[in-house]
Amino acid sequence: MPYFDNNATTPLWKVAEKAYLDASRNHWQNTSSPYRSAARARTLFDRDREWLAALLGCPADSVIFNSGATEGNNAIFNYLAAKHSGDARVVVSTIEHPSVLEPARAAFPGRVDYLPSLSSGVADLSELSKFLENPNVALVSLMAANNETGVLQPWRECLKVCRRKGVPFHTDASQWLGKMPLDGLGDCDYVTTCAHKFGGPKAVGFILIGREEVGFKSQLGGAHEKGHRAGTENLPGVRSMVAALKHVYENLEETLSDQRARRDAFEKTLCREIPGTRIIGGQSERLWNTVHVAMPKYANTRWVALLDKRGFTVSTGSACATGKEGPSHVLAAMGIESEEAGRILRVSGHWDSSSAAWNGLGAAMAEALEELNRSKSSAEGPMVISI
Ligand code: PLP
């Protein structure tokens, strides 16, 4: 599959599509309604919740279905801000997704402490204990894996420190769930996720809440999800998400070793064939599907366009190039200069990406470089590298 932007979103697995359609056709009733067909839908819903809880190692009551990670991240910071006094603070890493950073700043204005990033892309926990000396810390939030670089974060270590200090810990596991082993995830006080990063449908996900958080409310207006999140339940979405998760976890061991080897071979060839190429976060443990690569020259938008022309979809990995915001805050946190950031591509493979697909991408990149060099030499005057 020449689609290499799976950290942005993934295609639906066939089993997930089937589960979605089956629930939409046969179990479309409102799961709260008082008749047998609705009760059958409710049974499926409850069964999915139990399966998910068993997968994650937490009680079924801890699983709250919702519309995904942005909703979950907002809900957690808003809930904690309402629960605690005006002195409460939160600790977040500088490399979090904007759906963590923005609600943290909005709900705790001027009361956010930051865990910086090392140049390796790993969050630096050395200041954590110092931050936790303050008795008013309501939450520490560290993502499980970074969406841009794929670098795995020390969330288990962070959880341990928080446990010792009695401070709740949240991890945004959007890029971890469906790609990595799950040990320890069910022990976190809050976990946020979304289904569309592992072959489930868009706008479906769940939050895990700690055993003590009986008062957690993310949306008002009904008793759904035991009062934690009002709104008619999305049975087709949940069935489809669970089908996708079953599929990826049944095959995870094989995926991990095969895909890591394919990705590593791709990186090796790329660095050999295109001298000056640099793998960002290359010295760190990363998601098996992600390559964040600084090309030696030319703006990333030009690379993306030429690869797209050849049938390979990759991303710039920084919001900057999609015209939404400034340069990536993740790269800035890692100390990467904006000139280099403008040459960075994010390649994120699929569970089924074949060796031929990875090799094809490598060949397409070499061809794209030739085309870029030709267009440079045929252009009049010195070439301006636009970033
Ligand atoms: N957190 C991370 C790490 C992500 O990669 C994403 C998706 O890009 C999100 C949160 C937002 O997820 P959703 O699309 O479910 O709102």
Side-chain angles (χ1 to χ4, degrees), residues 96-99 101-102 105 147-148 316-330 387:
E96 295 300 311
H97 190 267
S99 63
L101 291 173
E102 290 182 26
R105 288 171 190 148
N147 47 302
E148 292 186 27
T316 55
S318 66
C320 146
T322 59
K324 287 185 199 150
E325 293 162 20
S328 154
H329 66 285
V330 174
I387 55 170

Side-chain angles (χ1 to χ4, degrees), residues 275-326:
T277 297
R278 183 167 92 90
I279 307 296
I280 305 296
Q283 67 278 50
S284 308
E285 264 200 84
R286 286 171 293 147
L287 292 171
W288 48 262
N289 75 327
T290 308
V291 182
H292 210 47
V293 57
M295 303 310 292
K297 49 187 178 172
Y298 306 119
N300 49 15
T301 46
R302 300 182 70 191
W303 284 96
V304 169
L306 289 187
L307 291 170
D308 197 9
K309 206 169 86 177
R310 288 167 172 78
F312 291 88
T313 35
V314 304
S315 167
T316 55
S318 66
C320 146
T322 59
K324 287 185 199 150
E325 293 162 20

Side-chain angles (χ1 to χ4, degrees), residues 238-311:
V238 166
R239 298 242 77 203
S240 178
M241 168 170 68
V242 166
L245 264 187
K246 280 185 182 158
H247 182 72
V248 293
Y249 280 101
E250 270 162 18
N251 300 295
L252 192 70
E253 281 311 312
E254 206 179 317
T255 306
L256 281 177
S257 57
D258 287 1
Q259 287 298 348
R260 211 175 265 139
R262 284 173 203 170
R263 190 274 312 268
D264 290 352
F266 166 79
E267 286 184 353
K268 218 164 144 192
T269 312
L270 190 65
C271 292
R272 194 185 59 228
E273 298 295 319
I274 307 186
T277 297
R278 183 167 92 90
I279 307 296
I280 305 296
Q283 67 278 50
S284 308
E285 264 200 84
R286 286 171 293 147
L287 292 171
W288 48 262
N289 75 327
T290 308
V291 182
H292 210 47
V293 57
M295 303 310 292
K297 49 187 178 172
Y298 306 119
N300 49 15
T301 46
R302 300 182 70 191
W303 284 96
V304 169
L306 289 187
L307 291 170
D308 197 9
K309 206 169 86 177
R310 288 167 172 78

Side-chain angles (χ1 to χ4, degrees), residues 68-70 73 97 99 143 147 172 174-175 194 196-197:
T70 299
N73 293 336
H97 190 267
S99 63
M143 68 197 326
N147 47 302
D172 174 349
S174 301
Q175 297 289 345
C194 54
H196 72 99
K197 308 288 190 191

